[in-house]
Every structure is written in C-alpha cells, then in structure tokens.
Amino acid sequence: MTPEAVEAQITDLYEASAAAIAPDGWKVDASWLSCSDNSTGDGVNLLFAASRSAPLPGDPAELISQAQIVWQKHGHDVTIERDTNLTPPRWILSDPPYLTGTHPDGSYYLLDVSESAVYFRAYSACVPGNIFELTSPTPTP
C-alpha cells in the first residue's frame, strides 16, 4: 500500500463517519510519522485525529448506530461498546475491538461519541514511503 492509498482510506472513513454524526464543526490533524518495517525499508505511518465539541444533531446512541453502518460498509467489523468509566460516558466503535490493542500491523481505528464531543482517531500500518517527501514543504518558484 502507498502513503496516498493509506491517506485516502483513512480520510474516506473519517468523512463518512463525520457525515453520519455531524457533517461540520470538526478540527482535523493528520501527521506522517517515520517507521521502519524491516521488510520494506523506510516507512511511514499516518496518525489521523479529528474532534468535534459542539451540540450533536441527535441522540448519541442513534448517531453511533449510524456510524456503525458506515464503518461496516467500509469493511470494518465493529460493534458498539459503551464505556461508562469515562467522563462523560461514551459510545465507541473500534477496530480492533475496544481496549484490545492494535492489529498485528500496528493499525487501529476508533470513533467515540459522548453527549458533548466526538473523537475520530486512526493510525495506519507502516507502509513504504519517505518521511521527508511527505513532510517537506513544496518549494515555491
């Protein structure tokens, strides 16, 4: 997989999740990180985070159910978890399942919804790529 494909995959899941929960008011931060996969040499991971802290357009339990359908359409086999140990309590989608760690390749995807905020986080597997090419600004003529 290429860095561009990783970015497209994560961005597509985020945009579909945001559309299911609340389409506007999100703050997004995406960063490429350097990693080394002995089989591929130089590699990169994408750390993608988005948050929204504004009143939701509906009941959080119903919104997370809508997001679950979206995630399943994107190939994620997820169930809704409810974590009442967090303040405020949250409804959570996570791939792999909530609080079980990461996939063997190090990737994970998480969406949590509370009464007052929504968080989306994704961390990609290490893929072949040059961190300097991805993070260096393009020179202007």
Side-chain angles (χ1 to χ4, degrees):
M1 188 174 268
T2 66
E4 295 79 15
V6 164
E7 186 171 28
Q9 179 186 44
I10 289 175
T11 301
D12 286 349
L13 182 61
Y14 157 69
E15 289 174 353
S17 299
I21 301 288
D24 58 353
W26 291 80
K27 293 180 182 178
V28 175
D29 182 36
S31 302
W32 287 103
L33 307 170
S34 181
C35 61
S36 178
D37 180 348
N38 291 333
S39 66
T40 62
D42 287 342
V44 292
N45 300 88
L46 180 61
L47 175 59
F48 187 99
S51 62
R52 182 182 187 280
S53 56
L56 295 175
D59 177 63
E62 292 175 17
L63 295 172
I64 199 80
S65 293
Q66 293 171 12
Q68 178 185 25
I69 294 166
V70 166
W71 280 45
Q72 290 170 337
K73 287 180 181 176
H74 279 79
H76 297 272
D77 183 21
V78 292
T79 57
I80 297 171
E81 301 289 334
R82 177 90 164 128
D83 192 334
T84 57
N85 292 317
L86 299 173
T87 304
R90 299 180 188 160
W91 291 264
I92 298 170
L93 294 179
S94 181
D95 182 16
Y98 185 53
L99 298 179
T100 63
T102 65
H103 286 286
D105 65 9
S107 65
Y108 70 86
Y109 308 85
L110 182 122
L111 177 71
D112 75 53
V113 179
S114 72
E115 297 286 339
S116 58
V118 183
Y119 299 97
F120 175 95
R121 289 183 290 280
Y123 187 73
S124 76
C126 186
V127 298
N130 184 308
I131 189 69
F132 298 109
E133 290 175 5
L134 293 166
T135 60
S136 296
T138 305
T140 56

